[in-house]
Amino acid sequence: MLLRGTRASPPGLAAGDAERRGIYNSALQQFEELAAAARSVGPASQPLALFYALEQAGQAILAARLEGRGKPHHGLRVSGYDKALHEVAIEPKGNGAFQAVAEALAVSGISGRATLGELWASLPEGGDEPLDDVEHPRALGLYPEDRPGPAATFLMTDRAVAWLFALPEEMRSVPSTEQVAAVSAYLSSYPTASGWESPIDGGIPGMDDPSAGFGIRLQWRLPKASGSAGERFEYLLTKVAPRYDRYDRGYLRPAVGGGEILHPLLTWWLILYALSMFARYQPGAWVKHLDVASSANAVRHESLLSLGLESVPRLVLEALTGSKQLDYR
């Protein structure tokens, strides 16, 4: 509903340009209709409708955010359809719609090869359910210990402490003398995690949470001598692990495809593009991946698409308005 509401008063460049306003409204109408179509069909056809819904949303983003015009081709290449789904690879090809949307969002696109398994694991939705049960560096939920509030502002320190959850199972059994080295090696794939410290001497505190999995307690230093609880809270959730869908939780996300942390919307773009090409040009192989009678991973493949139907509209709205859509409960 919020996304549909922007059509009466388009953001950015589409607000004062009649041609751009027309493109914005038409593209969002197509997005809505194709997204509705994706909800009404099964997983065999969902990648087609959902990707092209996202691509039309991309046209609205370009109308609102990019001075120039997008290219009439995808700007991507997919390979590996004869392999397991997590091994299907996506890489840039020239300068197309994907690169134009990245420019409009003022973020980096993909500069190298990435697999579906890597891309999916890098999203908060995919961190708990790796494709084909093959592990890749995953999105890790970060929960600050500090909470903003009048009383908390008197606790001044430069140490921003947080719990980091959903680490791989094998991290549980690392001896305390090896924990710092093991965590350093694992977090080397996470550019924004740099500068972390253990809050204690001789190991790293850990705990199990029944819903979040195994977690560790780490700290980061503020870029100034001291700060309030609110400042520490905001530093963690903007600089270290940016918020995704909730006000009080952020995610450390790994670099993929050439060393960059991809914008979540662009990550979904790559995943859905690859799946749409798979479904379109290799329908037999794609449907086989969805056969719950013969594939142990079929339900996860279905779940990926269902989560896309939930997340993509929210991320499109954020891209258009420049405002995070967060759960404050």
Side-chain angles (χ1 to χ4, degrees), residues 273-306:
Y273 173 72
L275 294 181
S276 72
M277 294 296 104
F278 203 166
R280 183 176 180 183
Y281 295 111
Q282 303 289 336
W286 169 240
V287 170
K288 186 177 291 186
H289 282 295
L290 300 171
D291 185 356
V292 295
S294 62
S295 171
N297 296 299
V299 174
R300 288 189 177 184
H301 301 159
E302 293 177 347
S303 175
L304 183 161
L305 293 166
S306 296

PDB file of all heavy atoms in Angstrom, residues 273-306:
ATOM      1  N   TYR A 273      17.261 -12.895 -11.172  1.00  0.00           N
ATOM      2  CA  TYR A 273      17.639 -12.950 -12.585  1.00  0.00           C
ATOM      3  C   TYR A 273      18.125 -14.342 -12.945  1.00  0.00           C
ATOM      4  O   TYR A 273      17.691 -14.935 -13.944  1.00  0.00           O
ATOM      5  CB  TYR A 273      18.724 -11.925 -12.890  1.00  0.00           C
ATOM      6  CG  TYR A 273      19.271 -12.038 -14.296  1.00  0.00           C
ATOM      7  CD1 TYR A 273      18.501 -11.644 -15.390  1.00  0.00           C
ATOM      8  CD2 TYR A 273      20.533 -12.578 -14.536  1.00  0.00           C
ATOM      9  CE1 TYR A 273      18.981 -11.767 -16.682  1.00  0.00           C
ATOM     10  CE2 TYR A 273      21.023 -12.699 -15.829  1.00  0.00           C
ATOM     11  CZ  TYR A 273      20.242 -12.294 -16.900  1.00  0.00           C
ATOM     12  OH  TYR A 273      20.717 -12.433 -18.187  1.00  0.00           O
ATOM     13  N   ALA A 274      19.023 -14.896 -12.121  1.00  0.00           N
ATOM     14  CA  ALA A 274      19.552 -16.233 -12.409  1.00  0.00           C
ATOM     15  C   ALA A 274      18.435 -17.281 -12.411  1.00  0.00           C
ATOM     16  O   ALA A 274      18.378 -18.140 -13.295  1.00  0.00           O
ATOM     17  CB  ALA A 274      20.623 -16.593 -11.387  1.00  0.00           C
ATOM     18  N   LEU A 275      17.542 -17.201 -11.429  1.00  0.00           N
ATOM     19  CA  LEU A 275      16.456 -18.183 -11.365  1.00  0.00           C
ATOM     20  C   LEU A 275      15.472 -18.015 -12.514  1.00  0.00           C
ATOM     21  O   LEU A 275      14.935 -19.005 -13.034  1.00  0.00           O
ATOM     22  CB  LEU A 275      15.732 -18.071 -10.022  1.00  0.00           C
ATOM     23  CG  LEU A 275      16.556 -18.444  -8.784  1.00  0.00           C
ATOM     24  CD1 LEU A 275      15.699 -18.314  -7.528  1.00  0.00           C
ATOM     25  CD2 LEU A 275      17.111 -19.861  -8.904  1.00  0.00           C
ATOM     26  N   SER A 276      15.230 -16.776 -12.936  1.00  0.00           N
ATOM     27  CA  SER A 276      14.311 -16.563 -14.058  1.00  0.00           C
ATOM     28  C   SER A 276      14.887 -17.114 -15.355  1.00  0.00           C
ATOM     29  O   SER A 276      14.164 -17.694 -16.170  1.00  0.00           O
ATOM     30  CB  SER A 276      13.974 -15.073 -14.204  1.00  0.00           C
ATOM     31  OG  SER A 276      15.067 -14.332 -14.715  1.00  0.00           O
ATOM     32  N   MET A 277      16.200 -16.936 -15.551  1.00  0.00           N
ATOM     33  CA  MET A 277      16.836 -17.497 -16.739  1.00  0.00           C
ATOM     34  C   MET A 277      16.814 -19.027 -16.696  1.00  0.00           C
ATOM     35  O   MET A 277      16.607 -19.693 -17.720  1.00  0.00           O
ATOM     36  CB  MET A 277      18.280 -16.997 -16.846  1.00  0.00           C
ATOM     37  CG  MET A 277      18.430 -15.505 -17.085  1.00  0.00           C
ATOM     38  SD  MET A 277      17.735 -14.942 -18.683  1.00  0.00           S
ATOM     39  CE  MET A 277      16.206 -14.176 -18.095  1.00  0.00           C
ATOM     40  N   PHE A 278      17.001 -19.572 -15.508  1.00  0.00           N
ATOM     41  CA  PHE A 278      16.944 -21.019 -15.331  1.00  0.00           C
ATOM     42  C   PHE A 278      15.549 -21.532 -15.690  1.00  0.00           C
ATOM     43  O   PHE A 278      15.388 -22.470 -16.476  1.00  0.00           O
ATOM     44  CB  PHE A 278      17.282 -21.341 -13.867  1.00  0.00           C
ATOM     45  CG  PHE A 278      17.801 -22.731 -13.646  1.00  0.00           C
ATOM     46  CD1 PHE A 278      18.416 -23.048 -12.446  1.00  0.00           C
ATOM     47  CD2 PHE A 278      17.686 -23.731 -14.601  1.00  0.00           C
ATOM     48  CE1 PHE A 278      18.908 -24.321 -12.197  1.00  0.00           C
ATOM     49  CE2 PHE A 278      18.176 -25.006 -14.369  1.00  0.00           C
ATOM     50  CZ  PHE A 278      18.782 -25.302 -13.173  1.00  0.00           C
ATOM     51  N   ALA A 279      14.528 -20.902 -15.097  1.00  0.00           N
ATOM     52  CA  ALA A 279      13.161 -21.346 -15.338  1.00  0.00           C
ATOM     53  C   ALA A 279      12.752 -21.171 -16.803  1.00  0.00           C
ATOM     54  O   ALA A 279      12.004 -21.984 -17.355  1.00  0.00           O
ATOM     55  CB  ALA A 279      12.201 -20.567 -14.435  1.00  0.00           C
ATOM     56  N   ARG A 280      13.266 -20.134 -17.431  1.00  0.00           N
ATOM     57  CA  ARG A 280      12.869 -19.840 -18.814  1.00  0.00           C
ATOM     58  C   ARG A 280      13.545 -20.755 -19.831  1.00  0.00           C
ATOM     59  O   ARG A 280      12.891 -21.255 -20.749  1.00  0.00           O
ATOM     60  CB  ARG A 280      13.206 -18.380 -19.117  1.00  0.00           C
ATOM     61  CG  ARG A 280      12.776 -17.917 -20.506  1.00  0.00           C
ATOM     62  CD  ARG A 280      13.060 -16.432 -20.667  1.00  0.00           C
ATOM     63  NE  ARG A 280      12.663 -15.944 -21.981  1.00  0.00           N
ATOM     64  CZ  ARG A 280      12.852 -14.694 -22.397  1.00  0.00           C
ATOM     65  NH1 ARG A 280      13.421 -13.809 -21.590  1.00  0.00           N
ATOM     66  NH2 ARG A 280      12.465 -14.319 -23.608  1.00  0.00           N
ATOM     67  N   TYR A 281      14.844 -20.983 -19.646  1.00  0.00           N
ATOM     68  CA  TYR A 281      15.603 -21.698 -20.679  1.00  0.00           C
ATOM     69  C   TYR A 281      15.929 -23.149 -20.327  1.00  0.00           C
ATOM     70  O   TYR A 281      16.312 -23.917 -21.200  1.00  0.00           O
ATOM     71  CB  TYR A 281      16.899 -20.936 -20.982  1.00  0.00           C
ATOM     72  CG  TYR A 281      16.640 -19.586 -21.597  1.00  0.00           C
ATOM     73  CD1 TYR A 281      16.917 -18.414 -20.895  1.00  0.00           C
ATOM     74  CD2 TYR A 281      16.083 -19.471 -22.872  1.00  0.00           C
ATOM     75  CE1 TYR A 281      16.665 -17.163 -21.450  1.00  0.00           C
ATOM     76  CE2 TYR A 281      15.824 -18.225 -23.435  1.00  0.00           C
ATOM     77  CZ  TYR A 281      16.117 -17.077 -22.716  1.00  0.00           C
ATOM     78  OH  TYR A 281      15.854 -15.844 -23.266  1.00  0.00           O
ATOM     79  N   GLN A 282      15.772 -23.491 -19.037  1.00  0.00           N
ATOM     80  CA  GLN A 282      15.995 -24.879 -18.616  1.00  0.00           C
ATOM     81  C   GLN A 282      14.828 -25.327 -17.747  1.00  0.00           C
ATOM     82  O   GLN A 282      14.996 -25.722 -16.592  1.00  0.00           O
ATOM     83  CB  GLN A 282      17.313 -24.975 -17.812  1.00  0.00           C
ATOM     84  CG  GLN A 282      18.547 -24.501 -18.525  1.00  0.00           C
ATOM     85  CD  GLN A 282      18.985 -25.446 -19.638  1.00  0.00           C
ATOM     86  OE1 GLN A 282      18.669 -26.632 -19.619  1.00  0.00           O
ATOM     87  NE2 GLN A 282      19.708 -24.923 -20.622  1.00  0.00           N
ATOM     88  N   PRO A 283      13.608 -25.287 -18.293  1.00  0.00           N
ATOM     89  CA  PRO A 283      12.437 -25.556 -17.443  1.00  0.00           C
ATOM     90  C   PRO A 283      12.434 -26.946 -16.826  1.00  0.00           C
ATOM     91  O   PRO A 283      12.014 -27.118 -15.673  1.00  0.00           O
ATOM     92  CB  PRO A 283      11.255 -25.359 -18.396  1.00  0.00           C
ATOM     93  CG  PRO A 283      11.832 -25.529 -19.769  1.00  0.00           C
ATOM     94  CD  PRO A 283      13.225 -25.007 -19.686  1.00  0.00           C
ATOM     95  N   GLY A 284      12.904 -27.942 -17.562  1.00  0.00           N
ATOM     96  CA  GLY A 284      12.921 -29.286 -17.014  1.00  0.00           C
ATOM     97  C   GLY A 284      13.838 -29.407 -15.808  1.00  0.00           C
ATOM     98  O   GLY A 284      13.470 -29.980 -14.767  1.00  0.00           O
ATOM     99  N   ALA A 285      15.040 -28.854 -15.927  1.00  0.00           N
ATOM    100  CA  ALA A 285      15.993 -28.908 -14.818  1.00  0.00           C
ATOM    101  C   ALA A 285      15.503 -28.089 -13.633  1.00  0.00           C
ATOM    102  O   ALA A 285      15.665 -28.490 -12.474  1.00  0.00           O
ATOM    103  CB  ALA A 285      17.349 -28.404 -15.286  1.00  0.00           C
ATOM    104  N   TRP A 286      14.893 -26.927 -13.905  1.00  0.00           N
ATOM    105  CA  TRP A 286      14.385 -26.089 -12.824  1.00  0.00           C
ATOM    106  C   TRP A 286      13.279 -26.801 -12.055  1.00  0.00           C
ATOM    107  O   TRP A 286      13.300 -26.843 -10.817  1.00  0.00           O
ATOM    108  CB  TRP A 286      13.886 -24.758 -13.368  1.00  0.00           C
ATOM    109  CG  TRP A 286      13.107 -23.935 -12.373  1.00  0.00           C
ATOM    110  CD1 TRP A 286      11.825 -23.509 -12.482  1.00  0.00           C
ATOM    111  CD2 TRP A 286      13.576 -23.444 -11.110  1.00  0.00           C
ATOM    112  NE1 TRP A 286      11.448 -22.791 -11.379  1.00  0.00           N
ATOM    113  CE2 TRP A 286      12.511 -22.735 -10.512  1.00  0.00           C
ATOM    114  CE3 TRP A 286      14.788 -23.545 -10.423  1.00  0.00           C
ATOM    115  CZ2 TRP A 286      12.621 -22.126  -9.271  1.00  0.00           C
ATOM    116  CZ3 TRP A 286      14.891 -22.937  -9.168  1.00  0.00           C
ATOM    117  CH2 TRP A 286      13.815 -22.238  -8.614  1.00  0.00           C
ATOM    118  N   VAL A 287      12.332 -27.385 -12.758  1.00  0.00           N
ATOM    119  CA  VAL A 287      11.227 -28.071 -12.085  1.00  0.00           C
ATOM    120  C   VAL A 287      11.748 -29.267 -11.286  1.00  0.00           C
ATOM    121  O   VAL A 287      11.227 -29.585 -10.210  1.00  0.00           O
ATOM    122  CB  VAL A 287      10.148 -28.492 -13.103  1.00  0.00           C
ATOM    123  CG1 VAL A 287       9.123 -29.410 -12.468  1.00  0.00           C
ATOM    124  CG2 VAL A 287       9.458 -27.248 -13.665  1.00  0.00           C
ATOM    125  N   LYS A 288      12.811 -29.904 -11.765  1.00  0.00           N
ATOM    126  CA  LYS A 288      13.393 -31.027 -11.023  1.00  0.00           C
ATOM    127  C   LYS A 288      13.926 -30.549  -9.670  1.00  0.00           C
ATOM    128  O   LYS A 288      13.834 -31.259  -8.666  1.00  0.00           O
ATOM    129  CB  LYS A 288      14.512 -31.657 -11.833  1.00  0.00           C
ATOM    130  CG  LYS A 288      15.090 -32.928 -11.208  1.00  0.00           C
ATOM    131  CD  LYS A 288      16.156 -33.557 -12.099  1.00  0.00           C
ATOM    132  CE  LYS A 288      15.526 -34.137 -13.362  1.00  0.00           C
ATOM    133  NZ  LYS A 288      16.532 -34.876 -14.177  1.00  0.00           N
ATOM    134  N   HIS A 289      14.474 -29.338  -9.624  1.00  0.00           N
ATOM    135  CA  HIS A 289      14.945 -28.787  -8.350  1.00  0.00           C
ATOM    136  C   HIS A 289      13.795 -28.548  -7.376  1.00  0.00           C
ATOM    137  O   HIS A 289      14.030 -28.411  -6.166  1.00  0.00           O
ATOM    138  CB  HIS A 289      15.673 -27.462  -8.584  1.00  0.00           C
ATOM    139  CG  HIS A 289      17.066 -27.614  -9.087  1.00  0.00           C
ATOM    140  ND1 HIS A 289      18.081 -28.189  -8.359  1.00  0.00           N
ATOM    141  CD2 HIS A 289      17.639 -27.248 -10.273  1.00  0.00           C
ATOM    142  CE1 HIS A 289      19.203 -28.185  -9.058  1.00  0.00           C
ATOM    143  NE2 HIS A 289      18.964 -27.617 -10.213  1.00  0.00           N
ATOM    144  N   LEU A 290      12.576 -28.484  -7.880  1.00  0.00           N
ATOM    145  CA  LEU A 290      11.403 -28.203  -7.052  1.00  0.00           C
ATOM    146  C   LEU A 290      10.622 -29.455  -6.688  1.00  0.00           C
ATOM    147  O   LEU A 290       9.591 -29.371  -6.004  1.00  0.00           O
ATOM    148  CB  LEU A 290      10.469 -27.229  -7.784  1.00  0.00           C
ATOM    149  CG  LEU A 290      11.061 -25.867  -8.147  1.00  0.00           C
ATOM    150  CD1 LEU A 290      10.106 -25.110  -9.051  1.00  0.00           C
ATOM    151  CD2 LEU A 290      11.380 -25.055  -6.897  1.00  0.00           C
ATOM    152  N   ASP A 291      11.083 -30.600  -7.105  1.00  0.00           N
ATOM    153  CA  ASP A 291      10.366 -31.857  -6.884  1.00  0.00           C
ATOM    154  C   ASP A 291      10.599 -32.334  -5.451  1.00  0.00           C
ATOM    155  O   ASP A 291      11.645 -32.884  -5.129  1.00  0.00           O
ATOM    156  CB  ASP A 291      10.842 -32.908  -7.880  1.00  0.00           C
ATOM    157  CG  ASP A 291      10.049 -34.205  -7.786  1.00  0.00           C
ATOM    158  OD1 ASP A 291       9.170 -34.312  -6.899  1.00  0.00           O
ATOM    159  OD2 ASP A 291      10.310 -35.118  -8.587  1.00  0.00           O
ATOM    160  N   VAL A 292       9.597 -32.138  -4.598  1.00  0.00           N
ATOM    161  CA  VAL A 292       9.762 -32.475  -3.186  1.00  0.00           C
ATOM    162  C   VAL A 292       9.864 -33.984  -2.970  1.00  0.00           C
ATOM    163  O   VAL A 292      10.317 -34.429  -1.904  1.00  0.00           O
ATOM    164  CB  VAL A 292       8.605 -31.898  -2.340  1.00  0.00           C
ATOM    165  CG1 VAL A 292       8.628 -30.383  -2.359  1.00  0.00           C
ATOM    166  CG2 VAL A 292       7.262 -32.425  -2.820  1.00  0.00           C
ATOM    167  N   ALA A 293       9.450 -34.764  -3.966  1.00  0.00           N
ATOM    168  CA  ALA A 293       9.539 -36.218  -3.841  1.00  0.00           C
ATOM    169  C   ALA A 293      10.938 -36.745  -4.117  1.00  0.00           C
ATOM    170  O   ALA A 293      11.274 -37.865  -3.711  1.00  0.00           O
ATOM    171  CB  ALA A 293       8.541 -36.888  -4.791  1.00  0.00           C
ATOM    172  N   SER A 294      11.775 -35.950  -4.794  1.00  0.00           N
ATOM    173  CA  SER A 294      13.104 -36.442  -5.146  1.00  0.00           C
ATOM    174  C   SER A 294      14.243 -35.537  -4.691  1.00  0.00           C
ATOM    175  O   SER A 294      15.392 -35.953  -4.675  1.00  0.00           O
ATOM    176  CB  SER A 294      13.213 -36.623  -6.669  1.00  0.00           C
ATOM    177  OG  SER A 294      13.051 -35.384  -7.339  1.00  0.00           O
ATOM    178  N   SER A 295      13.947 -34.291  -4.303  1.00  0.00           N
ATOM    179  CA  SER A 295      14.990 -33.349  -3.896  1.00  0.00           C
ATOM    180  C   SER A 295      14.781 -32.940  -2.447  1.00  0.00           C
ATOM    181  O   SER A 295      13.737 -32.378  -2.088  1.00  0.00           O
ATOM    182  CB  SER A 295      14.983 -32.103  -4.781  1.00  0.00           C
ATOM    183  OG  SER A 295      15.856 -31.115  -4.264  1.00  0.00           O
ATOM    184  N   ALA A 296      15.785 -33.225  -1.612  1.00  0.00           N
ATOM    185  CA  ALA A 296      15.706 -32.844  -0.197  1.00  0.00           C
ATOM    186  C   ALA A 296      15.728 -31.328  -0.015  1.00  0.00           C
ATOM    187  O   ALA A 296      15.359 -30.826   1.045  1.00  0.00           O
ATOM    188  CB  ALA A 296      16.864 -33.476   0.569  1.00  0.00           C
ATOM    189  N   ASN A 297      16.156 -30.599  -1.039  1.00  0.00           N
ATOM    190  CA  ASN A 297      16.275 -29.146  -0.943  1.00  0.00           C
ATOM    191  C   ASN A 297      15.126 -28.399  -1.615  1.00  0.00           C
ATOM    192  O   ASN A 297      15.124 -27.173  -1.639  1.00  0.00           O
ATOM    193  CB  ASN A 297      17.598 -28.696  -1.575  1.00  0.00           C
ATOM    194  CG  ASN A 297      18.794 -29.245  -0.826  1.00  0.00           C
ATOM    195  OD1 ASN A 297      18.985 -28.960   0.350  1.00  0.00           O
ATOM    196  ND2 ASN A 297      19.601 -30.062  -1.489  1.00  0.00           N
ATOM    197  N   ALA A 298      14.153 -29.144  -2.155  1.00  0.00           N
ATOM    198  CA  ALA A 298      13.080 -28.503  -2.911  1.00  0.00           C
ATOM    199  C   ALA A 298      12.297 -27.506  -2.062  1.00  0.00           C
ATOM    200  O   ALA A 298      11.938 -26.417  -2.529  1.00  0.00           O
ATOM    201  CB  ALA A 298      12.141 -29.563  -3.482  1.00  0.00           C
ATOM    202  N   VAL A 299      12.033 -27.848  -0.807  1.00  0.00           N
ATOM    203  CA  VAL A 299      11.253 -26.951   0.043  1.00  0.00           C
ATOM    204  C   VAL A 299      12.011 -25.646   0.299  1.00  0.00           C
ATOM    205  O   VAL A 299      11.415 -24.570   0.353  1.00  0.00           O
ATOM    206  CB  VAL A 299      10.891 -27.644   1.370  1.00  0.00           C
ATOM    207  CG1 VAL A 299      10.209 -26.664   2.322  1.00  0.00           C
ATOM    208  CG2 VAL A 299       9.968 -28.832   1.100  1.00  0.00           C
ATOM    209  N   ARG A 300      13.341 -25.738   0.428  1.00  0.00           N
ATOM    210  CA  ARG A 300      14.132 -24.518   0.606  1.00  0.00           C
ATOM    211  C   ARG A 300      14.096 -23.651  -0.640  1.00  0.00           C
ATOM    212  O   ARG A 300      14.101 -22.425  -0.554  1.00  0.00           O
ATOM    213  CB  ARG A 300      15.578 -24.878   0.955  1.00  0.00           C
ATOM    214  CG  ARG A 300      15.733 -25.415   2.361  1.00  0.00           C
ATOM    215  CD  ARG A 300      17.172 -25.553   2.766  1.00  0.00           C
ATOM    216  NE  ARG A 300      17.277 -25.993   4.143  1.00  0.00           N
ATOM    217  CZ  ARG A 300      18.410 -26.138   4.798  1.00  0.00           C
ATOM    218  NH1 ARG A 300      19.552 -25.858   4.191  1.00  0.00           N
ATOM    219  NH2 ARG A 300      18.434 -26.544   6.037  1.00  0.00           N
ATOM    220  N   HIS A 301      14.087 -24.279  -1.803  1.00  0.00           N
ATOM    221  CA  HIS A 301      13.996 -23.512  -3.043  1.00  0.00           C
ATOM    222  C   HIS A 301      12.660 -22.788  -3.124  1.00  0.00           C
ATOM    223  O   HIS A 301      12.587 -21.631  -3.559  1.00  0.00           O
ATOM    224  CB  HIS A 301      14.187 -24.433  -4.248  1.00  0.00           C
ATOM    225  CG  HIS A 301      15.505 -25.149  -4.237  1.00  0.00           C
ATOM    226  ND1 HIS A 301      15.723 -26.304  -4.950  1.00  0.00           N
ATOM    227  CD2 HIS A 301      16.677 -24.877  -3.595  1.00  0.00           C
ATOM    228  CE1 HIS A 301      16.968 -26.721  -4.738  1.00  0.00           C
ATOM    229  NE2 HIS A 301      17.558 -25.863  -3.925  1.00  0.00           N
ATOM    230  N   GLU A 302      11.593 -23.461  -2.699  1.00  0.00           N
ATOM    231  CA  GLU A 302      10.282 -22.813  -2.658  1.00  0.00           C
ATOM    232  C   GLU A 302      10.290 -21.662  -1.642  1.00  0.00           C
ATOM    233  O   GLU A 302       9.722 -20.592  -1.895  1.00  0.00           O
ATOM    234  CB  GLU A 302       9.214 -23.828  -2.279  1.00  0.00           C
ATOM    235  CG  GLU A 302       8.962 -24.909  -3.319  1.00  0.00           C
ATOM    236  CD  GLU A 302       7.943 -25.927  -2.851  1.00  0.00           C
ATOM    237  OE1 GLU A 302       7.615 -25.945  -1.642  1.00  0.00           O
ATOM    238  OE2 GLU A 302       7.462 -26.709  -3.690  1.00  0.00           O
ATOM    239  N   SER A 303      10.926 -21.903  -0.495  1.00  0.00           N
ATOM    240  CA  SER A 303      10.967 -20.891   0.554  1.00  0.00           C
ATOM    241  C   SER A 303      11.689 -19.634   0.082  1.00  0.00           C
ATOM    242  O   SER A 303      11.278 -18.507   0.407  1.00  0.00           O
ATOM    243  CB  SER A 303      11.663 -21.460   1.791  1.00  0.00           C
ATOM    244  OG  SER A 303      11.818 -20.486   2.790  1.00  0.00           O
ATOM    245  N   LEU A 304      12.759 -19.794  -0.679  1.00  0.00           N
ATOM    246  CA  LEU A 304      13.495 -18.654  -1.220  1.00  0.00           C
ATOM    247  C   LEU A 304      12.554 -17.735  -1.988  1.00  0.00           C
ATOM    248  O   LEU A 304      12.563 -16.511  -1.811  1.00  0.00           O
ATOM    249  CB  LEU A 304      14.624 -19.159  -2.114  1.00  0.00           C
ATOM    250  CG  LEU A 304      15.600 -18.168  -2.744  1.00  0.00           C
ATOM    251  CD1 LEU A 304      16.863 -18.910  -3.182  1.00  0.00           C
ATOM    252  CD2 LEU A 304      15.026 -17.447  -3.943  1.00  0.00           C
ATOM    253  N   LEU A 305      11.740 -18.314  -2.839  1.00  0.00           N
ATOM    254  CA  LEU A 305      10.833 -17.504  -3.657  1.00  0.00           C
ATOM    255  C   LEU A 305       9.761 -16.840  -2.798  1.00  0.00           C
ATOM    256  O   LEU A 305       9.399 -15.681  -3.026  1.00  0.00           O
ATOM    257  CB  LEU A 305      10.201 -18.382  -4.733  1.00  0.00           C
ATOM    258  CG  LEU A 305      11.190 -18.893  -5.784  1.00  0.00           C
ATOM    259  CD1 LEU A 305      10.570 -20.015  -6.609  1.00  0.00           C
ATOM    260  CD2 LEU A 305      11.649 -17.763  -6.687  1.00  0.00           C
ATOM    261  N   SER A 306       9.250 -17.555  -1.798  1.00  0.00           N
ATOM    262  CA  SER A 306       8.244 -16.964  -0.907  1.00  0.00           C
ATOM    263  C   SER A 306       8.824 -15.772  -0.151  1.00  0.00           C
ATOM    264  O   SER A 306       8.162 -14.743   0.014  1.00  0.00           O
ATOM    265  CB  SER A 306       7.739 -18.015   0.084  1.00  0.00           C
ATOM    266  OG  SER A 306       7.073 -19.065  -0.586  1.00  0.00           O
TER     267      SER A 306
END
